[in-house]
Amino acid sequence: MKDAGFIFGSYLVTLGSMVVFALVTLRRGRKSSGGVSDSDKTWL
């Protein structure tokens, strides 16, 4: 049990970096989709 802090801290850092990566990816996607015309947005 003495390594529980290290294990939980590692999980926290990992999950935090995944959330930050997802937010950055979504923000960049929204920014880059602004230059695409509506007729080319097949995902809508």
Side-chain angles (χ1 to χ4, degrees):
M1 263 333 250
K2 67 178 185 177
D3 293 330
F6 176 75
I7 293 169
F8 290 132
S10 298
Y11 273 108
L12 185 65
V13 169
T14 301
L15 292 175
S17 63
M18 290 170 60
V19 168
V20 169
F21 177 74
L23 292 175
V24 169
T25 302
L26 288 173
R27 186 177 291 173
R28 289 179 67 193
R30 287 189 181 130
K31 185 178 178 182
S32 65
S33 71
V36 178
S37 65
D38 286 338
S39 62
D40 291 331
K41 293 180 182 177
T42 57
W43 59 89
L44 293 179

